[in-house]
């Protein structure tokens, strides 16, 4: 007896796959509760955590790149605005500096102020365009000609006033000079403007004149500001000439800028006033000038937005981890409690205590197992009661019991038993490496399931029927190999799952096409199914076999209408035609067309019945 048990154990060990051994090693040594927690850990917690970390980091990087691109785009916008405005100011200065009347006024030694004022007014009134630029806050002409007094656009530059340094600097340059200049109102408030300084060529070389065009700060603000980004602009001397925060005007730039680099650019993070911002700095080389300005675009709120979105992502990932974890925890407690209860009742029964509980809540496999336990206990009790009877009665009871068990086993051969048996055979074939047998059993099981499920039913979906036909043809391909092939074509707008058909209607036709139509085909045989809609539903089943003579076609057509026992292949077709007419009416049915060497086609016409019409 021990030898037999040992042999069976060895056989089970041989048939156990490596995958099952690994699974048993990982899970079989722990309780169900730990197994479920372990599965949650390796199947959900770890993958979701890793994926969440990756997505959070990737989202943060994408957001940072997005905001960096937006800041860079804003910097390009600012650069275009400043280039446009400064170029416009250069064009204005070009018109002013090349005006011969202005050169004459600035180079003339006037005997008195009245004569100068007359010529100055003539020049200003004759050039009204000087006041037609919204970009210009102030246009002034400074000169060291002592005969010229302060009047309207003209200003005396001598006397060591506040304009002396920049006046001398601009007088010595042949190119345009851009620099910030400060002005104060009568209350002592300071104002800064980006100014164009340009020497005006004079006929009289003993005097100098400088044109100063101050760009309107308010105009710049209306063109530049958009409320989302902060802007800082400094000249090549490091002084801030424009900023979103007016208090920064005139102060040195606190951002490291390489002023010696004519094409300096920076795109990264900056900490300004203790706040981390995404910044983009670029250099604008002024038109027809050696001067440069440095434009800095800042987004001080970018990281607030990034952190807020990342926090939302973290919350989503935590929810994706914790919510299933809570559900697993609750379900595990519920499930293991029922398993423990079932185990306790089975333990009692195994030790001879048949006083088990009467009800086990639930409608799942555990409750079914408990029901089997109850049946087993009842039978054990019945058997124990029978043991006290006489030997004759006991023998009769045993005979009856054997008969009853035989009937019970016979009654259990139902579809599910057959499916499970076929599946067991398939898995054994698969485990043995015989994939062809496993595939054949799988197809046979699908075919058998469809036939049994639809035996006695009045309708099924066209999709299920076509799946069955495809399974049937695949089984035939296992038999005939490359001798046969198939093609299923469904025209628009037919959706197979939306239409109803009599079950098991098409299989006999396909069987005739394979067994009779392709009988003489050694290779290249094909069965084609074409489904289309023309008011009614049309299904054409054709083969590329040898076809039939006209007399054969006529006899087959007659046998479909009137049963002819002599033609065995027509019995199934006759039944199909009768089913169609009995179910759907006399206007529906089938037709046959064939010619020698061109194969045979059987066409079915049935009503287009959808699920909504049922």
């Amino acid at each position: 007896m021990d030898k037999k048990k040992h042999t069976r154990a060895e056989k089970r060990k041989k048939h156990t796959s490596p995958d099952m051994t690994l699974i048993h090693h990982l899970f079989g040594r722990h309780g169900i509760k730990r197994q479920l927690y372990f599965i949650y850990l390796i199947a959900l917690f770890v993958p979701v955590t890793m994926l969440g970390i990756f997505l959070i980091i990737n989202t943060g990087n994408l957001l940072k790149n997005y905001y960096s691109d937006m800041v860079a785009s804003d910097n390009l916008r600012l650069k275009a605005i400043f280039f446009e405005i400064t170029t416009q100011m250069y064009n204005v200065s070009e018109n002013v500096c090349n005006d011969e009347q202005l050169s004459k006024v600035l180079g003339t030694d006037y005997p008195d102020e009245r004569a100068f004022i007359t010529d100055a007014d003539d020049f200003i009134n004759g050039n009204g365009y000087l006041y037609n630029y919204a970009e210009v806050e102030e246009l002034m002409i400074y000169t060291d000609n002592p005969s010229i007094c302060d009047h309207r656009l003209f200003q005396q530059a001598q006397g060591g006033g506040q304009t002396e340094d920049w006046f001398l600097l601009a007088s010595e340059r042949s190119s345009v000079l851009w620099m910030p200049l400060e002005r104060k109102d009568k209350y002592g408030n300071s104002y800064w403007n980006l100014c164009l300084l340009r020497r005006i060529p004079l006929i009289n070389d003993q005097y100098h004149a400088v044109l100063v065009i101050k760009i309107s700060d308010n105009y710049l603000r209306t063109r530049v500001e958009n409320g989302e980004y902060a802007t800082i602009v400094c000249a090549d001397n490091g002084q801030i000439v424009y900023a979103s925060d007016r208090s920064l005007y005139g102060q040195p730039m606190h951002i490291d800028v390489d002023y010696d680099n004519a094409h300096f650019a920076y795109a990264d993070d900056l900490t300004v006033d203790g706040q981390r911002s995404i910044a983009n700095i670029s250099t604008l080389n002024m038109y027809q000038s050696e001067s440069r300005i440095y434009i800095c675009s800042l987004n001080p709120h970018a990281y607030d937005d990034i952190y807020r979105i990342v926090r939302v992502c973290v919350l989503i990932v935590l929810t994706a981890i914790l919510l299933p974890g809570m559900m697993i925890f609750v379900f595990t407690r519920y499930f293991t409690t029922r398993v423990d209860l079932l185990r306790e009742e089975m333990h009692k029964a195994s030790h001879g205590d048949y006083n088990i509980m009467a009800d086990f809540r639930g409608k799942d496999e555990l409750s079914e197992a408990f029901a089997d336990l109850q049946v087993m206990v009842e039978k054990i009790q019945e058997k124990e009661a029978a043991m006290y009877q006489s030997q004759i009665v006991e023998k009769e009871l045993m005979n009856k019991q054997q008969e009853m068990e035989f009937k019970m086993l016979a009654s259990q051969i139902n579809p599910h038993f057959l499916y499970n048996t076929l599946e067991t055979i398939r898995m054994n074939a698969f485990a043995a490496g015989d994939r062809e047998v496993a595939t054949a059993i799988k197809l046979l099981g699908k075919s058998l399931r469809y036939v049994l499920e639809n035996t006695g039913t009045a309708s099924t979906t066209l999709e299920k029927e076509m799946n069955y036909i495809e399974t049937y043809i695949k089984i035939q391909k296992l038999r005939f190999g490359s001798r046969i092939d198939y093609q299923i074509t469904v025209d628009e707008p037919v959706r197979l799952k939306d239409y109803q058909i009599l079950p098991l209607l098409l299989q006999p036709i396909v069987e005739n096409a394979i067994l009779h139509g392709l009988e003489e085909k050694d290779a290249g045989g094909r069965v084609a199914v074409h489904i289309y809609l023309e008011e009614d539903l049309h299904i054409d089943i054709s083969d590329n076999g040898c076809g039939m003579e006209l007399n054969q076609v006529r006899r087959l057509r007659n046998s479909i209408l009137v049963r002819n026992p002599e033609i065995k292949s027509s019995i199934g077709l006759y039944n199909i035609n009768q089913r169609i007419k009995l179910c759907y009416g006399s206007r529906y049915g089938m037709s046959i067309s064939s010619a020698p060497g061109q194969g045979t086609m059987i066409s079915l016409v049935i009503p287009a019945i959808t699920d909504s019409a049922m």
Side-chain angles (χ1 to χ4, degrees):
M1 189 68 181
D2 294 338
K3 187 176 181 181
K4 289 183 179 180
K5 290 182 178 179
H6 183 69
T7 304
R8 290 173 184 172
E10 287 183 348
K11 288 183 178 179
R12 285 197 298 268
K13 188 175 181 180
K14 288 181 180 178
H15 289 292
T16 302
S17 66
D19 294 340
M20 294 301 296
T21 304
L22 178 62
I23 292 174
H24 175 73
H25 179 74
L26 291 175
F27 299 104
R29 299 182 179 183
H30 305 285
I32 293 177
K33 182 182 293 186
R34 287 190 177 183
Q35 291 180 30
L36 290 174
Y37 289 155
F38 186 64
I39 290 172
Y40 165 73
L41 256 168
I42 63 175
L44 183 68
F45 181 82
V46 173
V48 171
T49 301
M50 295 178 63
L51 183 62
I53 292 173
F54 170 77
L55 290 177
I56 289 169
I57 294 174
N58 191 52
T59 300
N61 292 333
L62 289 175
L63 288 171
K64 183 178 178 181
N65 292 337
Y66 167 76
Y67 283 110
S68 297
D69 292 342
M70 295 300 293
V71 172
S73 176
D74 185 71
N75 191 269
L76 287 175
R77 180 183 68 87
L78 297 177
K79 196 171 181 180
I81 291 173
F82 275 92
F83 180 79
E84 174 195 342
I85 294 174
T86 54
T87 303
Q88 180 69 22
M89 294 302 97
Y90 174 82
N91 294 332
V92 173
S93 70
E94 188 77 8
N95 293 332
V96 174
C97 292
N98 293 329
D99 193 300
E100 294 181 358
Q101 185 180 2
L102 174 62
S103 178
K104 182 179 179 182
V105 171
L106 294 172
T108 302
D109 291 321
Y110 290 97
D112 52 35
E113 293 183 359
R114 187 180 186 87
F116 162 69
I117 291 173
T118 301
D119 288 348
D121 288 341
D122 289 342
F123 165 73
I124 295 171
N125 295 334
N127 295 278
Y129 70 89
L130 298 174
Y131 300 98
N132 294 333
Y133 296 95
E135 302 95 324
V136 179
E137 182 171 311
E138 185 179 62
L139 188 150
M140 298 295 294
I141 301 171
Y142 292 86
T143 181
D144 56 3
N145 187 341
S147 64
I148 293 178
C149 61
D150 296 344
H151 177 69
R152 297 177 71 179
L153 302 180
F154 295 88
Q155 189 78 28
Q156 184 58 238
Q158 292 181 342
Q162 62 179 351
T163 61
E164 183 178 2
D165 293 338
W166 57 258
F167 182 82
L168 294 175
L169 183 63
S171 300
E172 295 172 356
R173 286 201 178 189
S174 59
S175 61
V176 173
L177 176 65
W178 289 89
M179 62 185 301
L181 293 180
E182 182 184 17
R183 59 185 177 86
K184 294 186 178 181
D185 59 13
K186 60 182 180 179
Y187 303 106
N189 298 319
S190 295
Y191 298 93
W192 289 84
N193 297 88
L194 178 62
C195 300
L196 178 148
L197 286 73
R198 182 172 181 177
R199 186 184 70 183
I200 303 174
L202 303 180
I203 298 175
N204 191 345
D205 293 339
Q206 62 178 332
Y207 301 128
H208 302 87
V210 175
L211 171 66
V212 178
I213 301 177
K214 295 181 179 180
I215 297 178
S216 172
D217 185 71
N218 291 330
Y219 177 80
L220 280 178
R221 197 163 293 275
T222 58
R223 291 288 305 274
V224 169
E225 295 301 321
N226 63 5
E228 185 176 356
Y229 302 101
T231 304
I232 300 176
V233 181
C234 73
D236 49 12
N237 63 356
Q239 275 187 311
I240 296 176
V241 69
Y242 177 85
S244 301
D245 183 2
R246 293 180 185 270
S247 63
L248 298 178
Y249 279 68
Q251 297 183 14
M253 189 81 152
H254 295 298
I255 302 172
D256 292 334
V257 176
D258 184 5
Y259 295 103
D260 296 328
N261 187 354
H263 302 284
F264 175 78
Y266 177 86
D268 207 340
D269 295 348
L270 281 178
T271 301
V272 180
D273 296 333
Q275 187 173 17
R276 187 182 179 191
S277 305
I278 293 178
N280 189 285
I281 304 174
S282 62
T283 304
L284 175 61
N285 292 287
M286 297 303 200
Y287 180 68
Q288 297 293 332
S289 173
E290 296 178 0
S291 299
R292 297 189 293 267
I293 63 172
Y294 300 88
I295 303 171
C296 175
S297 297
L298 298 165
N299 188 340
H301 308 294
Y303 280 101
D304 294 337
D305 296 339
I306 292 174
Y307 293 149
R308 184 175 64 254
I309 296 173
V310 168
R311 283 195 295 269
V312 172
C313 293
V314 171
L315 183 61
I316 292 173
V317 172
L318 289 177
T319 303
I321 294 173
L322 296 178
L323 186 59
M326 294 174 61
M327 295 175 65
I328 289 290
F329 176 75
V330 172
F331 171 76
T332 300
R333 290 193 60 183
Y334 166 75
F335 181 73
T336 53
T337 300
R338 299 178 71 234
V339 170
D340 291 340
L341 182 59
L342 178 61
R343 186 180 61 179
E344 289 176 2
E345 298 301 311
M346 293 178 70
H347 183 74
K348 287 166 59 177
S350 66
H351 285 75
D353 183 3
Y354 302 126
N355 187 24
I356 62 175
M357 61 189 301
D359 185 33
F360 188 85
R361 290 186 300 174
K363 294 183 179 180
D364 53 11
E365 287 82 353
L366 292 180
S367 59
E368 291 176 0
F370 182 77
D372 291 339
L373 176 64
Q374 286 180 317
V375 172
M376 183 185 69
V377 168
E378 290 175 359
K379 289 182 179 181
I380 292 174
Q381 289 175 332
E382 291 175 0
K383 289 180 181 180
E384 287 184 349
M387 291 177 62
Y388 295 102
Q389 297 180 7
S390 64
Q391 294 182 353
I392 298 176
V393 176
E394 183 179 4
K395 187 175 181 180
E396 292 178 355
L397 290 175
M398 288 179 63
N399 292 335
K400 290 182 179 181
Q401 183 179 356
Q402 290 177 356
E403 183 180 354
M404 180 183 67
E405 289 177 353
F406 176 78
K407 291 181 178 180
M408 181 181 69
L409 290 174
S411 66
Q412 289 179 348
I413 303 177
N414 53 30
H416 295 288
F417 173 76
L418 294 176
Y419 303 153
N420 294 335
T421 303
L422 287 174
E423 182 64 17
T424 301
I425 297 172
R426 187 182 76 84
M427 292 304 297
N428 289 335
F430 187 83
D434 197 339
R435 294 179 176 270
E436 184 174 355
V437 173
T439 302
I441 294 173
K442 181 181 178 181
L443 293 173
L444 179 61
K446 288 178 63 177
S447 176
L448 180 62
R449 180 182 293 274
Y450 181 82
V451 172
L452 292 175
E453 286 180 350
N454 288 278
T455 300
T457 60
S459 178
T460 186
T461 64
L462 187 55
E463 183 181 36
K464 292 181 180 178
E465 179 75 2
M466 293 310 302
N467 288 338
Y468 169 63
I469 292 301
E470 191 170 4
T471 301
Y472 174 77
I473 297 176
K474 288 180 179 178
I475 293 174
Q476 293 293 349
K477 278 181 67 63
L478 292 174
R479 176 185 174 188
F480 294 102
S482 60
R483 284 181 55 193
I484 65 170
D485 203 348
Y486 70 97
Q487 179 181 3
I488 298 176
T489 306
V490 182
D491 290 355
E492 295 288 343
V494 178
R495 296 203 324 172
L496 298 180
K497 64 180 180 180
D498 293 341
Y499 292 89
Q500 296 291 315
I501 190 173
L502 291 172
L504 305 172
L505 190 68
L506 305 179
Q507 186 269 338
I509 303 175
V510 175
E511 183 177 3
N512 276 346
I514 294 173
L515 299 181
H516 300 289
L518 304 178
E519 183 179 6
E520 298 180 8
K521 279 279 187 179
D522 294 330
R526 176 178 291 273
V527 176
V529 181
H530 182 203
I531 302 173
Y532 56 99
L533 195 64
E534 290 181 0
E535 293 186 1
D536 296 315
L537 195 62
H538 293 253
I539 303 174
D540 295 340
I541 301 174
S542 59
D543 62 71
N544 62 346
C546 59
M548 294 183 290
E549 298 290 342
L550 182 59
N551 292 335
Q552 291 178 294
V553 175
R554 287 175 179 172
R555 281 197 301 162
L556 188 58
R557 287 172 180 168
N558 292 332
S559 66
I560 291 174
L561 300 176
V562 180
R563 184 172 180 179
N564 186 356
E566 295 180 1
I567 306 178
K568 296 182 179 180
S569 62
S570 68
I571 296 174
L573 301 180
Y574 171 83
N575 292 334
I576 292 171
N577 193 49
Q578 291 302 310
R579 286 182 67 193
I580 293 174
K581 292 186 178 298
L582 289 173
C583 233
Y584 301 130
S586 58
R587 58 173 292 205
Y588 301 101
M590 69 165 62
S591 60
I592 301 174
S593 59
S594 181
Q598 297 183 9
T600 303
M601 183 171 71
I602 297 180
S603 301
L604 277 69
V605 181
I606 62 174
I609 302 175
T610 60
D611 289 337
S612 59
M614 295 295 293

